[in-house]
Amino acid sequence: MATIDDVARIAGVSKSTVSNVFSKKRPISKQVADRVLDAARELKYKPNYWARSLAGMETRIIGLNMEGEKVKFGAFHMTLLNGVLKECYSRGYRLLVNTLPKDFASRPENWSSDPLDGEILLDPVMKDSRLEERVMNRTPVVVIGRPPMAYETGVSYVDNDNVGVSCRVTEYLLQLGHRHILFLNAPKNRTVAYDRESGYRRAHESLKLPVDPRLVVCREEKNRSSFDYGYRTVLQLLSSTPAITAIMTDTDKVALGVYQAANELKLSIPGDLSVFSFSVEPGYGTEFIPPLSCVRLDGEQLGAEAARLLLDQCAQKSHAAKRVIIPSELLYRESCSKPRQ
C-alpha cells in the first residue's frame, strides 16, 4: 500500500507539501498540486483520514445542526447547503448534517459527541440548549439567524435584517391604505419571530397607528402543517375580524393556506385581501394565482458566509464574534393592492 512518503518521492516534494495538497490548509501552486495528485493517482494513494485527524487534533469535519424529527429539505435549505458545501470544499472540510428533537437536552440517547471541529446551528430559539452546550464546551459555533440575547455579542452569526425587512413590508401595506393587517408569524420561541414582530410594530409606530394584538398570531409548535396553520387561522379570524384587508405570512406554505381559505370564503386576492410572504422557496411564488409578493432570501450566501466564519474560527484566524447581515430583496407582485373603499 502506497504511503505519503512514496507520493512525496515520486512528486519530488516534501511530505508536508503532500499533506497540504490534500488538507488544503495552506495554498500550494497549481503546478505542484497537479504533480502531487498525479503521483497519488499513479500509486493509488489515499490519505489516512483518522491518522491525519489524530495527528492534527482535528477531524476536518464541521456540522450543520437543525431541530426537527421529520425533516424534509426544501429548495431554500438546498441552496443554503450548497453555500456551506462550496466553502467546505474550497477549504478541505467535510460536512455532517444532523437533526435533533426539540427536547434533545433531556434525552440521554441524543448526547453523543460528534467528531466535529465546529458547528453551524439553524433556527435559533430564545432559550437554545444547543447553543448553551457548545459555548460551555468552547466548541467553535456560528448561528444562522439571530442567537438569543444572552449570546448575541459573544457568538458569531449570519442573518437577514428581519426587523428592517418586516418594517418595510408593513410600511408598504400601510402606505397602500391597509389598517388591519394580520401577521401570521413564526413560532413565538424563535428569535426570528421576535424580530419580525418588532419590525411590524415599528412600522405602525412610525405612522402613529395602533397595533391590534389580536392581529399578531404566532404559530404553535405542534404537528399542524404550515399550510394548515395559514388555512385554519384565516378561516377563524376572518369570521370574527372581518375588517382584515391584508395578511403577512411567515412562509410561502402558510400563504398557500391563506389563498385556499380566501378561495373558500369567496374573497379575491388582492381585491378583498392582500397577501405578502416573508420567505419563499427559490423559483416559487410566481406559481400562485395571483403571483405572491414576497421577500427573497439568499440561502446560498447565508450558508457560505456561515461556513466561512466557522472555518476561520477552526483555523484560529478569528476569535472575535462577528455579525454578518445578508441583504434581502422585496418582490412586489400582484397579490397586493389598495384596499377597497
Side-chain angles (χ1 to χ4, degrees), residues 215-262:
L215 299 183
V216 180
V217 180
C218 288
R219 178 177 175 180
E220 295 181 4
E221 290 276 18
K222 294 182 178 179
N223 293 327
R224 175 186 292 184
S225 69
S226 298
F227 173 89
D228 197 50
Y229 166 53
Y231 173 71
R232 296 192 181 279
T233 306
V234 168
L235 285 182
Q236 177 184 349
L237 287 181
L238 285 184
S239 63
S240 60
T241 317
I244 293 171
T245 59
I247 301 178
M248 295 162 52
T249 71
D250 176 36
T251 68
D252 50 7
K253 295 180 179 63
V254 178
L256 192 60
V258 172
Y259 270 54
Q260 179 63 32

Side-chain angles (χ1 to χ4, degrees), residues 35-203:
R35 204 161 70 234
V36 169
L37 294 173
D38 287 343
R41 277 190 288 268
E42 178 184 339
L43 297 170
K44 294 182 171 56
Y45 167 77
K46 294 181 180 179
N48 187 321
Y49 172 77
W50 289 112
R52 191 174 70 191
S53 298
L54 290 171
M57 298 299 290
E58 60 181 10
T59 66
R60 307 294 289 179
I61 301 175
I62 62 169
L64 181 70
N65 181 285
M66 59 191 298
E67 289 186 352
E69 298 177 3
K70 296 180 180 179
V71 177
K72 182 178 180 181
F73 283 133
F76 175 78
H77 283 104
M78 294 305 296
T79 59
L80 187 147
L81 273 173
N82 284 338
V84 175
L85 286 168
K86 285 180 181 178
E87 196 65 27
C88 286
Y89 176 79
S90 69
R91 306 274 284 267
Y93 273 77
R94 298 180 182 184
L95 179 67
L96 173 65
V97 179
N98 191 24
T99 61
L100 291 174
K102 295 178 178 60
D103 59 344
F104 86 98
S106 63
R107 295 171 62 170
E109 69 268 26
N110 297 121
W111 291 354
S112 62
S113 179
D114 293 322
L116 303 174
D117 294 339
E119 201 159 11
I120 297 170
L121 303 184
L122 296 180
D123 303 322
V125 296
M126 301 302 287
K127 293 183 179 180
D128 203 315
S129 52
R130 300 172 301 165
L131 188 55
E132 180 181 353
E133 180 187 49
R134 282 143 185 83
V135 170
M136 186 182 304
N137 293 335
R138 301 183 68 83
T139 302
V141 63
V142 171
V143 180
I144 294 182
R146 183 179 62 80
M149 194 171 296
Y151 300 100
E152 195 170 346
T153 58
V155 171
S156 293
Y157 67 97
V158 181
D159 198 11
N160 302 110
D161 179 13
N162 286 297
V163 176
V165 168
S166 176
C167 186
R168 287 169 59 196
V169 171
T170 309
E171 284 178 345
Y172 167 67
L173 293 172
L174 290 172
Q175 288 165 1
L176 284 176
H178 297 280
R179 291 297 179 265
H180 297 86
I181 304 171
L182 173 61
F183 182 16
L184 301 183
N185 204 353
K188 191 173 185 177
N189 67 331
R190 295 198 177 180
T191 59
V192 67
Y194 179 88
D195 290 347
R196 287 176 177 169
E197 182 176 341
S198 297
Y200 175 88
R201 292 181 177 278
R202 181 182 295 179

